[in-house]
Structure formats: C-alpha cells, structure tokens
C-alpha cells in the first residue's frame, strides 16, 4: 500500500484519507466534453476525463500525472499542483487538501492580500470590540483594519500604508513609546521577521520589508547579526508602554493573536492591560 493510501489502525478505524482516491473522484466528475482545451483533439474526448487528458492540460507526461494519482511520492512542483487543481476544477478546500496531502503545506498565494474584502463576521467582531485596542494585519504586518480604541492608543495605525514592523522598528516614536525597546520589542519583532525571511521565496513584499528594515537601521542590523531566535507570533508577549493616550504613564499590556478561520492570511490582535492595571488616572 502506498504511504498516501488510506489505512486502518488496530481497531479498524480509518487513519487518514487517500489522496489517490480523491484525485480519481475529482477527475471522474469533470465532463471532458466541456473542457475548451480538449475540443478538436484526437481522439475525440468522451464524457470521462482521462489521465492522459489531465496530463495534456497540465503540460506533463501521462506517466508523471499517473504517478501523482497513484499516490507515489515525487518532487511535484507547486506550479504543477496548481495546474492540476485548475484542470480538475478543484475548490479552494479541495486545492488545500491536495497540497497538504502531497507536500504538507498550503497552496502558495492561497489568499491574495489584495482585493479581498473582510468577512462580515470578522469585521463586525473588530468594530464591536470597544473594551480593548484591536487590529487586523496581514502576513506582511500591514494594518488592514483597526478599531477606534486602537486608533486612540496608536494613532499611527490610521496613517495610509500603516505597517507594524516599519513603525515598531524604524519610527523614532516607537522607541519612545515602547519601553526597553531593544530587548522587549526589537528582538521579538526581528525574530518574527527571521521566520518570514525564510518563507515563500516568491513573496516579494515580505522580502522587501526585511531588506528595507535592515538597510535603514544600524541597531536592527546588529541585532539581526547577533541573534538566531525565531518566533512565529507574539501571542502572550508583555510590552511596557508609555503612550500619550495614558498621559505618558507607564502601562503594561499583553497581546493576544488569533487567526480568523475564514482568512488565515490575517492576524486578529487584541491588546489587553495586565491584571491589576486600572487605566490612566
């Protein structure tokens, strides 16, 4: 049995799903007669889409596609898998399943950061949050939306093109407002950028962000060279702040990072005061 094939454990329960079986089912539901690229080909396509026809549509040999459908491990490229998804008319969930089963990761550029409206529920949750500052950022730390309290605490989020990393690491204002800036802020944020720098090589925005920050600031370059820590997010991180909104009195807050299931390309961040802090006097 292929390592991708469905298996049973000792109790007879299904352990996983066979991508081979799914691919066959997805191919079987496509009517080859409705595929424009196959019109006029020889032999004339029947109703059932064949492996050879999928190979033709994806620009590979029939044997290469057959290897994928048989569930045998190979170094399948992301571009090939995307072409398979297009040829088989897969939905977003089906394309995700294909990628996770074949290469263990999500499709590249799965959700574009452009031209994507916020899901109504996510937007409503943000707008209805009136107790604590909250904002949404994308995977490049661009601030997509913020509630009114976030704008009062941190007016920079209301500026056009607001980006958390650029503000926190390059804006002189951040070094005044985020106390113990180097150890408690810069090192944490640069550790997150280090993860991003090793991410999707095709994500030019992320790579430009890392390059711009390191080119612009000597302290960031020094910390980057000294440190090797990597951090995916700062959920639960404690920051010491001195903000005009609080009368420049030191406050301590914790960040909470959530991932909206409807938009896994976004981070939903809440900022809450530490227990025992009663707010500005």
């Amino acid at each position: 049995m292929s390592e991708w094939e469905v298996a049973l454990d000792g109790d007879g329960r299904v352990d996983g799903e066979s991508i081979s079986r799914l691919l066959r089912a997805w191919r079987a539901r496509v009517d080859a007669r409705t595929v424009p690229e196959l019109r006029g080909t020889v032999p004339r396509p029947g109703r059932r889409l064949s492996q050879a026809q999928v190979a033709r549509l994806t620009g590979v040999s029939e044997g290469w596609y057959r290897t994928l459908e048989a569930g045998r491990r190979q170094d399948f490229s992301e571009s090939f898998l995307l072409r398979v998804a297009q040829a088989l008319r897969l939905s977003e969930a089906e394309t995700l399943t294909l990628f996770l089963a074949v290469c263990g990761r999500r499709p590249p550029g799965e959700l574009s950061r452009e031209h994507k409206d916020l899901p109504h529920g996510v937007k409503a949750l943000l707008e209805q949050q009136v107790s604590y500052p909250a904002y949404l950022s994308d995977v490049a730390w661009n601030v997509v939306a913020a509630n009114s309290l976030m704008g009062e605490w941190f007016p920079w989020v209301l500026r056009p093109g607001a980006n958390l990393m650029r503000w926190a690491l390059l804006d002189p204002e951040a070094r005044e407002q985020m106390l113990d800036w180097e150890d408690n802020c810069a090192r944490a944020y640069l550790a997150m950028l280090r993860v991003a720098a090793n991410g999707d090589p095709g994500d030019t925005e992320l790579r430009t962000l890392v390059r711009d920050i390191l080119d612009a600031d000597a302290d960031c370059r020094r910390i980057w060279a000294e440190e090797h820590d990597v951090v995916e997010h700062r959920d639960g991180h404690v920051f010491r702040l001195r903000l005009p909104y609080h009368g420049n009195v030191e406050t301590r807050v914790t960040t909470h990072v959530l991932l909206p299931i409807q938009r896994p390309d976004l981070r939903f961040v809440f900022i809450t005061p530490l227990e025992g802090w009663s707010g500005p006097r």
Side-chain angles (χ1 to χ4, degrees):
M1 177 184 296
S2 161
E3 59 183 307
W4 292 4
E5 292 294 334
V6 66
L8 300 179
D9 64 17
D11 296 325
R13 293 173 298 190
V14 173
D15 177 21
E17 176 61 282
S18 164
I19 191 62
S20 179
R21 186 182 73 83
L22 290 175
L23 280 166
R24 290 194 296 269
W26 293 335
R27 177 167 57 84
R29 74 186 180 190
V30 178
D31 187 339
R33 297 169 297 182
T34 67
V35 180
E37 295 86 345
L38 296 178
R39 292 173 186 166
T41 59
V42 179
R44 186 176 180 180
R47 190 202 66 79
R48 184 180 176 87
L49 188 67
S50 68
Q51 290 183 335
Q53 288 166 337
V54 177
R56 181 188 184 100
L57 293 171
T58 55
V60 299
S61 68
E62 183 178 351
W64 188 248
Y65 175 74
R66 188 183 300 117
T67 298
L68 172 69
E69 194 168 294
R72 293 194 291 272
R73 293 276 182 190
Q74 293 289 348
D75 186 19
F76 298 111
S77 69
E78 291 181 340
S79 61
F80 167 61
L81 295 178
L82 288 172
R83 294 197 301 272
V84 170
Q86 182 178 15
L88 299 182
R89 302 176 181 178
L90 302 188
S91 67
E92 285 189 9
E94 290 165 344
T95 302
L96 171 62
T97 302
L98 174 65
F99 269 78
L100 292 178
V102 174
C103 54
R105 57 182 180 273
R106 304 181 77 92
E110 180 183 38
L111 288 165
S112 170
R113 289 193 288 271
E114 298 180 355
H115 311 303
K116 279 282 188 177
D117 293 332
L118 291 178
H120 176 73
V122 174
K123 185 177 182 180
L125 181 61
L126 179 67
E127 293 174 346
Q128 294 169 13
Q129 176 53 253
V130 295
S131 299
Y132 306 114
Y135 67 94
L136 286 163
S137 67
D138 64 18
V139 295
W141 291 278
N142 297 304
V143 176
V144 176
N147 68 355
S148 59
L149 197 53
M150 183 71 189
E152 293 175 11
W153 281 41
F154 299 98
W156 64 268
V157 302
L158 304 178
R159 301 171 191 164
N163 181 281
L164 174 65
M165 289 295 180
R166 294 183 187 277
W167 178 80
L169 295 174
L170 299 180
D171 195 320
E173 178 184 74
R175 304 193 185 202
E176 298 176 0
Q177 297 183 2
M178 305 188 76
L179 303 183
D180 193 15
W181 176 84
E182 179 169 323
D183 289 334
N184 201 36
C185 170
R187 293 182 188 275
Y189 283 124
L190 288 168
M192 289 191 287
L193 280 177
R194 194 170 285 111
V195 175
N198 287 279
D200 181 3
D203 195 327
T204 57
E205 184 176 10
L206 272 176
R207 294 186 176 276
T208 298
L209 175 66
V210 175
R211 184 181 64 250
D212 287 353
I213 288 173
L214 296 180
D215 286 349
D217 189 80
D219 288 328
C220 289
R221 289 195 298 274
R222 173 179 52 80
I223 296 169
W224 187 271
E226 292 174 351
E227 295 289 337
H228 302 91
D229 291 343
V230 290
V231 177
E232 186 176 8
H233 55 73
R234 67 196 186 287
D235 182 59
H237 192 86
V238 175
F239 290 96
R240 295 168 52 232
L241 306 174
R242 184 177 290 131
L243 305 176
Y245 177 79
H246 299 135
N248 292 314
V249 174
E250 179 180 335
T251 58
R252 300 179 70 198
V253 300
T254 305
T255 57
H256 310 274
V257 183
L258 309 177
L259 300 180
I261 196 167
Q262 294 172 292
R263 288 288 303 274
D265 61 322
L266 297 180
R267 303 179 183 94
F268 202 136
V269 183
F270 293 87
I271 301 174
T272 61
L274 288 184
E275 186 176 354
W277 182 75
S278 58
R281 292 180 174 83

